[in-house]
Amino acid sequence: MARVARRMRDKRVLLLIRRFLQAGMMEGGVVSARTEGTPQGGPLSPLLSNILLDELDGELERRGHRFVRYADDCNVYVRSKAAGERVMASLERFLGKRLRLLVNREKSAVARPWARKFLGYSVTVHREAKLQRVFPQGRGRNLGRVLRDLGPMIRGWVAYFRLSEVKAGFEALDEWIRRKLRCILWRQWKRPRTRAAKLRQLGLDPERARASAGNGRGPWWNAGASHMNQSVPTSMLRRQGLLSFLDEYRRLACNS
């Protein structure tokens, strides 16, 4: 309350906040006195946590740490496990001595970002394996069927992750999926003669089609090469049903 009073001069508001904090708890039909904490589910808890933990934010900024915090949930990002252990110990001392707060060790840990969650999200550079499992099955399947299987998955991912900073990630995923689809086509064409014929059918110059079909490079390299990008443009894939992560993200952003 002393920290709240530094920012709020209105005694009526201070009295109201104090009464919230002193309100009893109902348990089993019996009201008992509250000795700590705030009423669960109310708007007061995040407000008071920001007032109290503002000093923690300043301390982390002063140390030059990268961190995110929402109410009393906080992640600090460092370069090694040893650094994480040092920061954890020093923050426990800071919170205990300066703010008289205890860190919940059962819910706190030093771990890799992808091993922890923050507000239901994790931070990772690892591509989700579920997406990759669609493509090995696609070598002997119609491309349209692969695209139809991808559609619901892409919509679900965009709906879930659209609240985070995902634009660059969605752009990279779109590019990766297009290359993967071109890779499927290159594998399905199998022989150089078939590849040359398919490239000609798709509008490539005959001489260039023959040279590209016999270049001896692997499917992934060819899927990213100019002859496949020209022969199988993004517009063609979209006509066949390819859904874009980025386009779906923008659509939801406009409708929200």
Side-chain angles (χ1 to χ4, degrees):
M1 287 304 301
R3 290 179 179 272
V4 176
R6 296 176 194 171
R7 298 171 177 265
M8 173 58 63
R9 300 297 182 184
D10 192 323
K11 292 184 178 180
R12 295 170 299 175
V13 176
L14 293 173
L15 179 60
L16 181 62
I17 293 175
R18 183 178 292 279
R19 285 179 175 174
F20 261 103
L21 295 175
Q22 292 177 339
M25 296 180 292
M26 179 73 73
E27 187 175 359
V30 179
V31 177
S32 58
R34 183 185 301 277
T35 58
E36 62 182 4
T38 63
Q40 189 172 3
L44 188 60
S45 181
L47 173 64
L48 293 182
S49 67
N50 280 337
I51 291 175
L52 186 60
L53 295 175
D54 183 61
E55 195 167 342
L56 171 64
D57 295 345
E59 178 66 15
L60 290 170
E61 289 174 354
R62 186 185 66 79
R63 298 183 187 186
H65 289 313
R66 296 178 181 271
F67 70 97
V68 289
R69 182 180 68 80
Y70 181 86
D72 62 344
D73 195 355
C74 183
N75 281 6
V76 183
Y77 301 101
V78 293
R79 293 185 178 275
S80 67
K81 184 177 181 180
E85 298 287 358
R86 289 196 302 272
V87 171
M88 174 73 84
S90 66
L91 288 182
E92 278 191 291
R93 290 193 298 269
F94 174 83
L95 290 168
K97 293 181 179 179
R98 181 71 69 85
L99 302 181
R100 299 182 182 179
L101 296 174
L102 294 177
V103 173
N104 187 333
R105 292 296 293 184
E106 292 183 0
K107 295 183 179 180
S108 305
V110 176
R112 296 287 189 183
W114 51 85
R116 305 291 295 175
K117 286 192 174 183
F118 179 72
L119 306 179
Y121 291 95
S122 62
V123 180
T124 177
V125 296
H126 294 69
R127 193 171 279 118
E128 173 62 46
K130 184 178 179 182
L131 188 61
Q132 292 194 15
R133 287 199 297 269
V134 174
F135 292 102
Q137 303 169 2
R139 296 180 188 178
R141 299 167 66 204
N142 179 271
L143 194 66
R145 178 66 182 274
V146 177
L147 293 172
R148 286 194 295 273
D149 289 346
L150 280 172
M153 194 179 301
I154 291 173
R155 288 189 182 93
W157 278 28
V158 174
Y160 182 78
F161 289 107
R162 67 191 178 102
L163 296 179
S164 55
E165 295 292 333
V166 292
K167 184 178 178 182
F170 281 170
E171 286 177 341
L173 276 172
D174 278 335
E175 183 179 343
W176 182 80
I177 286 176
R178 291 194 297 267
R179 187 168 180 177
K180 203 71 171 167
L181 293 170
R182 293 180 182 115
C183 187
I184 289 174
L185 290 175
W186 190 263
R187 286 179 179 274
Q188 288 178 347
W189 295 342
K190 293 183 180 180
R191 296 179 178 85
R193 182 181 298 177
T194 305
R195 289 169 177 167
K198 291 290 185 180
L199 290 173
R200 287 197 304 272
Q201 290 174 14
L202 292 169
L204 206 64
D205 176 82
E207 186 64 30
R208 188 182 175 198
R210 283 195 298 272
S212 299
N215 60 36
R217 300 270 191 168
W220 184 249
W221 185 91
N222 278 281
S226 60
H227 56 269
M228 280 299 284
N229 279 271
Q230 182 178 334
S231 303
V232 189
T234 302
S235 58
M236 172 184 166
L237 295 173
R238 288 186 177 179
R239 284 195 300 272
Q240 294 192 40
L242 175 62
L243 189 66
S244 164
F245 276 96
L246 197 56
D247 287 350
E248 185 70 5
Y249 170 71
R250 288 169 176 161
R251 184 185 69 81
L252 292 179
C254 290
N255 293 335
S256 60

